[in-house]
Amino acid sequence: MDDSRSIIADGAIAVRGCDVVDLGADQTIAARTSARTVIDAQGGPVHPGLVEAHLHASFQLFRSALPDHLAEDDSFDTFESVFYNTVDDDEERISVALASAEMIRNGTTCFLEAGTVLQPATAADAAAAVGIRAVIGDAFIWDCPQGFAQGARAPHDRPTLRRTPQTFDEAVAQLGGQLWRNDDPESLVSAHIALLGLGTASESLLLRAKEAADAAGVTLNLHQSYSPADTGADRDRFGADPLVHLERIGVLADNVTLAHGNHLTDAECEALLRTGAAIAWAPAASMMWGHGACIDGRHAELHRRGVNIALGSDSPNWSNDFDLFKQANLAVLTAREAHRDRGYLTAEDGLWMATRGGAKAAGLADRIGSIEIGKRADLVIHSMRRPEITPPTDMIRNLIYSARSKTVRTVIVNGVVVLDDGKFTTIDEDELIREAAEASAALLSRMGKSVVPNQARR
Ligand SMILES: [Zn+2]
């Protein structure tokens, strides 16, 4: 996934510390390298770790708890808000660890968290314990929480999240609280500036967050134009298409990543092209809630026109798994369906969005997203011992269309083998799964929520 999308048959990669230091033909690299450890990929494809560009890492403990008949307008009011007013730091830790383990198993080596873990330090520790690269933000930076719009209805009276800022001053006091993590360039966990978005940031807060991101040289990340509700609410308050207004006030730039961007006008597409801002496209999140963004959305068109489109899994209940191979597969196939054109996006486009696209969206384009000398050794090795990857014809088409995450065998992050031939080296996975199941039951009980089956359709 370098600029010329090189593919090396019978290749080898030399890693020292956390970096790739050499790569090329197996014979050449073997002749000039003396390695302490050799990992034989056994003919399996090796690609850069996938980069998750939109993720809520702490919802794992209520995955699949929302029934299919729940309206999205009610999801925050009756469920998510109760979760946030109940969850404790240890439950967040377990949840982020579970999310991280799931991502590693699916070939994702880095995630950009949406700024929705109440205790960001917990998220950082949990991710580091599993061994995944994480880019975290402060929690719930918003100053108009009552502007929150999600689903179809306009903003309405919402329950308050007790542990989150409520005013501009409270939000600014927390903004940038994780940026100290960037002092160590080799650290597995780094920080960005996150706003929640969806109508919850005043223009003053948007500007302040952009200034903070610029000063720190990091990504500014927020939800934008996810559903008709937040898109309409922003259009009403700005008196213009939301992205047009954001460009006008200087908030749209090439260090800005907008999660979703499902509902865009022609003028907003032009604003993205002019400014270089990125979109984290979460195809399954739209499809789960029926927003039509894979039909009416502009993501595939914008990718073809040169806008940076990354991929995201959003959250458990908005995807519900953290598997970028699934998102890449959906992105490529739904684009063809929408445009009635088999070649509209190719398997290579899907892999690009999941690697280079994500790396740039996370502000780490100089470090990850491709296997190149000087970049971090974030590598995924697939097994050839599965039917889905057989026969070994075109390996990129095999990876995006059939093998996907099923054949992920060994995962290396920052030069460390985290998953070794299907087994974690960093955590006791069985123990984590047991702990998560127990914690979920206890949390749902404290929330007063019972999980109900879907209503039968008559
Ligand atoms: Zn989200």
Side-chain angles (χ1 to χ4, degrees), residues 65-381:
L66 305 190
D68 289 350
H69 53 262
L70 183 76
E72 194 172 19
D73 296 295
D74 298 327
S75 61
F76 180 84
D77 300 4
T78 68
F79 215 102
E80 288 172 282
S81 57
V82 183
F83 162 77
Y84 275 115
N85 286 331
T86 309
V87 69
D88 65 30
D89 293 356
D90 198 48
E91 288 160 343
E92 286 202 320
R93 174 191 64 78
I94 295 167
S95 192
V96 177
L98 190 67
S100 302
E102 181 179 343
M103 283 187 274
I104 290 289
R105 278 217 169 276
N106 291 332
T108 294
T109 54
C110 176
F111 67 94
L112 179 69
E113 215 284 328
T116 51
V117 180
L118 289 170
Q119 192 60 261
T122 301
D125 293 347
V130 173
I132 195 168
R133 189 180 298 286
V135 187
I136 60 169
D138 310 294
F140 280 91
I141 302 299
W142 60 11
D143 62 344
C144 331
Q146 287 302 325
F148 183 62
Q150 174 179 271
R153 286 206 307 272
H156 52 278
D157 276 350
R158 297 276 192 186
T160 304
L161 304 193
R162 283 185 284 99
R163 293 170 65 190
T164 68
Q166 301 298 316
T167 65
F168 177 79
D169 288 343
E170 286 172 10
V172 168
Q174 294 190 20
L175 190 70
Q178 298 295 316
L179 292 173
W180 60 269
R181 296 181 188 277
N182 298 342
D183 293 347
D184 174 6
E186 296 194 349
S187 170
L188 197 57
V189 180
S190 59
H192 71 288
I193 296 288
L195 293 174
L196 189 83
L198 301 174
T200 63
S202 67
E203 198 162 301
S204 307
L205 186 58
L206 283 162
L207 290 166
R208 182 64 72 91
K210 177 64 166 53
E211 270 172 35
D214 290 349
V218 298
T219 293
L220 166 64
N221 166 32
L222 68 154
H223 292 86
Q224 181 64 53
S225 305
Y226 163 63
S227 70
D230 76 280
T231 310
D234 274 348
R235 185 170 284 118
D236 288 347
R237 71 181 176 133
F238 294 145
D241 290 345
L243 269 57
V244 169
H245 184 74
L246 292 178
E247 183 191 18
R248 201 179 287 150
I249 63 172
V251 167
L252 222 53
D254 68 356
N255 63 338
V256 173
T257 296
L258 306 176
H260 301 295
N262 287 338
H263 304 279
L264 302 180
T265 63
D266 288 345
E268 290 177 298
C269 292
E270 297 304 320
L272 287 169
L273 281 158
R274 272 192 300 273
T275 59
I279 300 274
W281 180 17
S286 164
M287 297 171 90
M288 281 297 282
W289 295 86
H291 284 301
C294 295
I295 300 165
D296 307 325
R298 312 291 290 269
H299 309 90
E301 171 202 337
L302 288 168
H303 167 78
R304 284 166 55 114
R305 294 170 71 189
V307 171
N308 188 45
I309 304 291
L311 295 173
S313 301
D314 207 330
S315 76
N317 295 300
W318 268 258
S319 260
N320 292 355
D321 53 358
F322 292 166
D323 184 348
L324 283 182
F325 275 113
K326 172 172 120 176
Q327 303 296 339
N329 180 277
L330 287 175
V332 171
L333 296 192
T334 59
R336 293 178 186 184
E337 188 82 344
H339 294 272
R340 289 170 169 75
D341 176 356
R342 171 170 160 86
Y344 201 79
L345 290 186
T346 63
E348 285 80 358
D349 290 316
L351 193 57
W352 181 273
M353 290 189 266
T355 53
R356 293 290 295 276
K360 184 164 189 305
L364 299 177
D366 59 335
R367 272 162 274 181
I368 59 172
S370 57
I371 305 176
E372 292 183 78
I373 293 170
K375 280 196 171 179
R376 301 287 185 264
D378 289 7
L379 309 169
V380 177
I381 305 172

Side-chain angles (χ1 to χ4, degrees), residues 13-35:
I13 301 161
V15 174
R16 187 188 304 126
C18 51
D19 291 331
V20 170
V21 293
D22 205 357
L23 79 159
D26 197 356
Q27 300 285 325
T28 315
I29 302 304
R32 65 186 182 211
T33 307
S34 107

